[in-house]
Amino acid sequence: MTGTASAAAYYLEAVYNAKSVDGALSDKHLRLYDNAQDAKEHHGWCYVPGDRAHRGSSWSCTVVGRSGTYNGSFGTVRLRHYSDGQSWTANGKTSRIYKTAQYKGQRPYCLYLGILKPGAGPNYTVYLCAYWV
C-alpha cells in the first residue's frame, strides 16, 4: 500500500490538485482518504481538513479505495471528468455539478460511481467529486 497512514486509521489514497485536468475541482485540492469503516456512514462526504496546513486550500473526502472488502488487486481512486455546470442525475434527482463552490460554506460531495476493471491491470474505484446544486 502506498497511501500514508494517519492516527485515525485513514489512508491518504489520492490527492487531486485544483485546476488539474483529471476531474478535480477548480477552487481547492481534493485529498481523498480511504476508510471503509467510516464510509459506511459518510461515503463521499467532504470535510474541512483536520490538518491546519491544508484547511484553506483543500477538502478531505471519505472514499473506499484499497481498504475496501473488494476482491482482486486495486489501484488508487479515479475521478470522473465532467463539464462545469453540467446536469447529472443520481438516485432519480437531477442536479447541476460545478467545479467551484456556488455559495459560501458549500462543501463538495464525491458520488461513488462504481468499479473500473480495465482488464489485466488493477481495479479502480471511481467517484465524481463536485459541488452539487
Side-chain angles (χ1 to χ4, degrees), residues 62-90:
T62 302
V63 298
V64 176
R66 290 174 276 190
S67 75
T69 58
Y70 306 116
N71 294 324
S73 172
F74 265 80
T76 190
V77 171
R78 296 276 174 101
L79 295 183
R80 185 179 189 298
H81 296 268
Y82 63 94
S83 299
D84 199 39
Q86 163 181 342
S87 292
W88 189 273
T89 301

Side-chain angles (χ1 to χ4, degrees), residues 42-115:
H42 306 113
H43 197 185
W45 290 20
C46 295
Y47 305 92
V48 174
D51 183 342
R52 292 176 195 236
H54 300 294
R55 284 189 185 158
S57 62
S58 300
W59 290 108
S60 295
C61 305
T62 302
V63 298
V64 176
R66 290 174 276 190
S67 75
T69 58
Y70 306 116
N71 294 324
S73 172
F74 265 80
T76 190
V77 171
R78 296 276 174 101
L79 295 183
R80 185 179 189 298
H81 296 268
Y82 63 94
S83 299
D84 199 39
Q86 163 181 342
S87 292
W88 189 273
T89 301
N91 300 321
K93 180 181 177 191
T94 300
S95 301
R96 292 261 181 212
I97 53 177
Y98 294 93
K99 293 179 180 279
T100 57
Q102 299 300 293
Y103 55 86
K104 185 177 176 139
Q106 185 180 18
R107 295 181 183 188
Y109 176 77
C110 294
L111 177 67
Y112 172 73
L113 296 179
I115 299 190

Side-chain angles (χ1 to χ4, degrees), residues 20-31:
S20 63
V21 295
D22 54 11
L25 303 176
S26 294
D27 59 352
K28 291 188 177 187
H29 307 304
L30 283 171
R31 303 176 65 79

